Amino acid sequence: MARNSHLTVEQLALVVRRKQKLRERMDEVEALLTGRGTPLSQLAPPTPAGRRALVQQLVKADALNGAIDALKDAGQFSHYRGSALDAVPPAPPGEHDALVASFFACAVPLAGATPWYAGAMDDIVALGRSVQRHRGRERLLLLEELYDGTDYLAEGVPRPDDFFSMMDDVYGVLAEALVSEIIPVHLRAWAAALDPELFSDEARTAQLFSVSPAELDAAVAAGAVDAEVAERNRAAVQAHWDELVDRAARMQPWEAEAQQAAAQEDALRHQRIRERLNAWRAGFAEAEELCENYRAFREEFFEGPGCPVDFADRVERAAETVLVQQGKSLLARKATADEAVHLLGRVRARLAGGGE
């Protein structure tokens, strides 16, 4: 292929976009073949009991895959090649089994019973991948949870592509408490070792700058702010407040009206979001159970064996095993799978020939 010496910025951007579209289409094909696009409601009744049953199916599928892997490692796979699945001897308990089980116990209701997901098996797989992305960055994750107090769901900006982000926010709605409140003291100290300054009193003074001196005094009286810290930063708070007052005094009437209108619209938007969140919470029957399962998952992730290198693969294999067992996977049909491989082979051959 000839060297393109006149490549423009736009052309390069188009190449990136084309690759993205290609990846999306390939993911769609894989989802169709594996059945991962199957709604969870087609795998189990969309009820608390149905979701618990699906969790158990996924846990058993993970154990079955572990048992089959153990047979292969022991060189005994050929002895069970034609055996029924229930004849496969169980594998010894693994150190990450509890982590996987508690993940499914959270991911199934999260994907299947909250308004932020399509409610398909692919959502479970994607959430598993997001968990593995946090492997090796546990301290940073804890620091984010401790210092980012933004209520993303209340702001109308959910983050469904990240398991921890969504579970933290959902936990906050259901438990009416920040997830940072359940982080043990020893984990706070462990996270602080990454950057002790983040835990210093001075590092928290930025949180004081948006309050008036009177509000600062009220916060001290309520015990929300240490009196010594407040006194040490009183001059900075006063200076910042004076600047805000001066800026407001110099504001044109139309600017003040526009700012007030924007603030009112923002308040109404937040009120509507909060009403929807409250309505969802009121109709969600698994709140206590989901919060308990998330606390169990976090204990395994942060204080137990941690996240294995093959976590995402285990989640994906378990999901696809359940889909095969329930007759939702096209890969179980030899003719369909062979046709897909043949068509992809033709595409590969054409591309290998220069795309002609």
Side-chain angles (χ1 to χ4, degrees):
M1 186 176 294
R3 177 182 176 86
N4 190 345
S5 58
H6 302 289
L7 186 66
T8 67
V9 172
E10 181 182 14
Q11 289 172 326
L12 184 58
L14 284 173
V15 169
V16 174
R17 174 57 184 154
R18 287 166 188 157
K19 181 178 179 181
Q20 181 181 350
K21 291 175 68 176
L22 174 64
R23 182 168 293 163
E24 289 172 356
R25 187 54 53 86
M26 292 175 67
D27 288 344
E28 290 170 1
V29 171
E30 182 177 336
L32 285 171
L33 288 171
T34 60
R36 291 207 310 259
T38 302
L40 299 181
S41 59
Q42 292 185 16
L43 302 172
T47 62
R51 284 186 282 273
R52 292 186 198 103
L54 181 56
V55 168
Q56 289 306 308
Q57 290 180 53
L58 288 163
V59 171
K60 290 179 180 178
D62 176 61
L64 174 63
N65 290 327
I68 292 174
D69 289 344
L71 290 178
K72 292 178 179 178
D73 292 341
Q76 298 178 352
F77 179 77
S78 59
H79 300 310
Y80 291 89
R81 187 184 301 274
S83 302
L85 295 178
D86 56 9
V88 177
E95 63 174 346
H96 298 106
D97 290 352
L99 178 74
V100 174
S102 57
F103 165 79
F104 284 133
C106 293
V108 169
L110 178 64
T114 72
W116 300 284
Y117 293 91
M121 189 64 93
D122 225 0
D123 294 321
I124 307 294
V125 174
L127 287 169
R129 291 171 181 164
S130 78
V131 168
Q132 189 162 316
R133 287 199 296 270
H134 287 287
R135 185 176 182 271
R137 62 180 303 275
E138 291 83 359
R139 275 180 168 169
L140 290 175
L141 176 58
L142 287 171
L143 290 176
E144 290 170 6
E145 292 179 327
L146 287 166
Y147 284 93
D148 184 0
T150 306
D151 189 342
Y152 288 94
L153 292 184
E155 292 292 331
V157 284
R159 299 165 290 171
D161 61 336
D162 186 86
F163 175 79
F164 282 98
S165 296
M166 286 304 297
M167 279 304 308
D168 286 359
D169 292 348
V170 167
Y171 182 91
V173 172
L174 297 178
E176 296 185 274
L178 296 175
V179 74
S180 58
E181 296 179 16
I182 63 172
I183 299 176
V185 173
H186 64 278
L187 283 184
R188 291 169 179 263
W190 177 68
L194 188 67
D195 189 350
E197 288 302 312
L198 288 172
F199 279 75
S200 68
D201 287 336
E202 297 302 324
R204 289 194 286 271
T205 58
Q207 300 175 20
L208 306 176
F209 289 158
S210 60
V211 302
S212 68
E215 289 172 326
L216 178 61
D217 290 338
V220 171
V225 176
D226 183 79
E228 183 180 342
V229 173
E231 196 59 36
R232 193 162 58 241
N233 293 278
R234 184 172 296 279
V237 171
Q238 183 68 61
H240 184 68
W241 185 254
D242 290 344
E243 181 183 345
L244 292 177
V245 172
D246 181 63
R247 190 184 306 166
R250 289 185 284 105
M251 189 176 294
Q252 296 294 323
W254 66 268
E255 291 179 300
E257 291 176 3
Q259 190 177 76
Q260 183 178 13
Q264 290 175 344
E265 177 58 32
D266 198 44
L268 286 174
R269 184 176 68 87
H270 285 138
Q271 180 181 346
R272 289 193 292 268
I273 294 173
R274 177 53 60 186
E275 288 173 352
R276 289 198 295 268
L277 289 175
N278 289 339
W280 168 71
R281 181 180 61 191
F284 187 70
E286 301 155 78
E288 184 176 348
E289 182 179 357
L290 181 55
C291 290
E292 181 180 345
N293 286 328
Y294 187 47
R295 289 191 292 268
F297 173 85
R298 292 177 62 86
E299 184 174 352
E300 291 294 324
F301 187 86
F302 290 111
E303 303 184 75
C307 182
V309 68
D310 64 341
F311 182 83
D313 182 60
R314 284 182 64 168
V315 170
E316 183 174 329
R317 287 182 65 193
E320 294 181 0
T321 297
V322 169
L323 290 167
V324 171
Q325 291 173 322
Q326 295 217 23
K328 302 295 184 180
S329 174
L330 294 179
L331 291 179
R333 307 175 188 175
K334 184 178 184 304
T336 303
D338 288 347
E339 181 183 7
V341 172
H342 174 70
L343 291 174
L344 290 173
R346 290 179 59 184
V347 173
R348 184 192 63 80
R350 182 174 179 179
L351 293 175
E356 300 298 333

